[in-house]
Amino acid sequence: MVHSCLRDQSGAVSPPSLNLSSCYTAMPDDNLLHVDGQAGVDPETMPDNTAAFPPLVADDTRAAGNPIMKPNKRTSSQRRMLQLQHSPFWAQNCWTFLWTVLLFNAMGCIQSIRCKPKSFRDSIVILELNATIDSNPTSIDETSGVVLRYRTPHFRANARILVPPVAAKETWTIGWIQACNHMEFFNTYGDKGMSSWELPDLRDGKIQAISDSDGVNYPWYGNTTETCTVIGPTKKDSKFVVSMNDNFYPSVTWGVPVSDSNVPQLSSIFRDQSFTTWLVAINQATSETLVLQTIRWRMRLDIKVDPEKPLGQRAVLKEPVAQVQPQILGKNEPIPPNAMVKPNANDAQVLMWRPKTGDPVVVIPPKY
């Protein structure tokens, strides 16, 4: 680029004071240029003073007597790329680039998994769970001249639950379901015979268990402290406690149930019942049922009665005085179908009179 030209007195342009010749740096041997049909030109044999090269003339396509030097098929940018590829610097940066791509890809996968909303089954948490039977013994009440009453200790179960925010528009009820697995309940009247409360289908092995619901809110044991409902979507955690308790408080006649006489003849009471209690979550729309925890417990009772003694002194509690504590299972058990539907144990039970001689008699039929 010429800014100004100096001319002498004859008008000729004086040569520039600066050396405008180009400077070249020798390339490695593997980068020698090739002339058509000739061997490569070695830069070391080229003259140091580039002014010795013949001047180029405008529009001239060849230097005097010399053909134009053409590069081989690889361009200069390709040669540079090959140099980089064979250099340690290129290898290091290539591996860095690949590692970065893989890392970001893995992070994307992890982020995708973490952001995927959990199902209700995976998100609900039991913060605390307790199941006990009170340590006090069964109490006996002889204040009535018609019936003997007794009250067993309470079985109690409670659970503190955490439900994270529910994203979907769904309703879940969490609570207690209970079923009776086994029942023996005999009231003996000396040599006359015995009365017994029985669950015919359970007794005959037709079903594995029968619902112990309150008879209204099937399949739940109750609908006050026993259940809690979560209605989605929710924006924050839901924490609550569901609790239940159960015990026996029956009345047994002093006299034979099928007799009009009130003469005391009751000689013993024996009772042995087993239950399974489940902590459950149920989807109200789909009926999906999640068993969160399973508990097994048993209540045993043995009372000896001397009907000849005065009222208030007849009954004596025998072993076991203290009940075996409930078992919280490490592995949940499925809920039998009959534990989820009608009838419940109270409506299905019958009171039978089984005399020493003669045929059994139904004293109180089932309610359903």
Side-chain angles (χ1 to χ4, degrees), residues 269-338:
I269 299 172
F270 175 82
R271 190 166 184 172
D272 186 358
Q273 280 186 255
S274 298
F275 299 87
T276 303
T277 307
W278 294 272
L279 179 62
V280 180
I282 297 180
N283 187 308
Q284 296 301 315
T286 64
S287 296
E288 180 183 1
T289 301
L290 310 178
V291 176
L292 307 176
Q293 192 65 64
T294 307
I295 302 169
R296 282 188 171 273
W297 63 281
R298 181 182 183 186
M299 189 73 73
R300 297 171 64 195
L301 179 72
D302 189 4
I303 298 174
K304 299 302 181 184
V305 181
D306 185 350
E308 302 297 328
K309 288 187 176 182
L311 190 65
Q313 302 176 22
R314 296 173 181 169
V316 177
L317 180 65
K318 298 295 184 179
E319 294 292 341
V321 174
Q323 302 295 323
V324 176
Q325 289 300 307
Q327 181 184 10
I328 300 175
L329 303 186
K331 182 179 181 180
N332 286 320
E333 294 183 353
I335 305 175
N338 291 89

Side-chain angles (χ1 to χ4, degrees), residues 27-324:
M27 297 292 287
D29 292 343
D30 58 350
N31 288 308
L32 297 180
L33 296 179
H34 294 266
V35 180
D36 293 342
Q38 299 182 14
V41 179
D42 189 348
E44 294 182 0
T45 63
M46 297 176 67
D48 294 332
N49 185 3
T50 56
F53 283 108
L56 294 178
V57 182
D59 298 329
D60 188 6
T61 58
R62 288 182 178 270
N66 293 316
I68 296 176
M69 299 173 62
K70 295 182 180 180
N72 61 4
K73 294 182 180 180
R74 292 175 181 171
T75 65
S76 59
S77 59
Q78 288 175 328
R79 290 195 304 275
R80 290 180 181 275
M81 182 61 69
L82 287 173
Q83 283 182 316
L84 288 174
Q85 287 175 346
H86 289 287
S87 69
F89 176 80
W90 166 265
Q92 180 180 358
N93 282 272
C94 181
W95 282 114
T96 302
F97 174 75
L98 290 176
W99 174 254
T100 303
V101 171
L102 292 173
L103 179 62
F104 275 97
N105 187 47
M107 290 177 64
C109 294
I110 295 171
Q111 183 71 13
S112 175
I113 294 171
R114 182 166 54 184
C115 292
K116 183 180 179 180
K118 291 184 177 180
S119 65
F120 191 87
R121 177 191 294 272
D122 296 330
S123 62
I124 189 169
V125 178
I126 302 175
L127 299 175
E128 184 180 0
L129 187 141
N130 295 293
T132 61
I133 294 178
D134 294 346
S135 59
N136 57 284
T138 297
S139 61
I140 300 172
D141 179 5
E142 294 185 32
T143 57
S144 170
V146 179
V147 295
L148 176 150
R149 296 187 181 92
Y150 63 87
R151 187 190 300 269
T152 66
H154 283 80
F155 161 77
R156 303 180 190 275
N158 63 80
R160 190 158 61 94
I161 307 295
L162 167 66
V163 177
V166 178
K169 187 178 181 181
E170 55 188 10
T171 301
W172 289 85
T173 300
I174 300 94
W176 298 102
I177 294 175
Q178 182 165 281
C180 177
N181 310 101
H182 174 79
M183 184 171 80
E184 295 178 71
F185 187 177
F186 309 128
N187 306 313
T188 304
Y189 292 84
D191 58 359
K192 300 294 183 180
M194 70 177 185
S195 66
S196 63
W197 285 100
E198 301 174 10
L199 295 165
D201 287 349
L202 190 63
R203 176 198 65 203
D204 298 340
K206 295 180 179 178
I207 57 176
Q208 294 179 330
I210 189 167
S211 170
D212 198 26
S213 167
D214 62 0
V216 178
N217 301 286
Y218 285 94
W220 306 108
Y221 182 78
N223 196 33
T224 52
T225 63
E226 296 85 0
T227 60
C228 185
T229 300
V230 177
I231 302 175
T234 58
K235 295 182 179 180
K236 58 182 181 179
D237 293 349
S238 302
K239 291 183 180 180
F240 51 87
V241 174
V242 286
S243 62
M244 63 162 288
N245 65 80
D246 189 11
N247 78 323
F248 309 146
Y249 184 38
S251 299
V252 182
T253 59
W254 291 110
V256 175
V258 293
S259 171
D260 294 332
S261 172
N262 289 327
V263 176
Q265 298 187 62
L266 179 65
S267 57
S268 69
I269 299 172
F270 175 82
R271 190 166 184 172
D272 186 358
Q273 280 186 255
S274 298
F275 299 87
T276 303
T277 307
W278 294 272
L279 179 62
V280 180
I282 297 180
N283 187 308
Q284 296 301 315
T286 64
S287 296
E288 180 183 1
T289 301
L290 310 178
V291 176
L292 307 176
Q293 192 65 64
T294 307
I295 302 169
R296 282 188 171 273
W297 63 281
R298 181 182 183 186
M299 189 73 73
R300 297 171 64 195
L301 179 72
D302 189 4
I303 298 174
K304 299 302 181 184
V305 181
D306 185 350
E308 302 297 328
K309 288 187 176 182
L311 190 65
Q313 302 176 22
R314 296 173 181 169
V316 177
L317 180 65
K318 298 295 184 179
E319 294 292 341
V321 174
Q323 302 295 323
V324 176

Side-chain angles (χ1 to χ4, degrees), residues 196-198 346 348-353 361-367:
S196 63
W197 285 100
E198 301 174 10
N346 287 339
Q349 66 184 356
V350 299
L351 179 62
M352 301 291 297
W353 170 250
V361 177
V362 176
V363 180
I364 300 177
K367 296 178 182 179

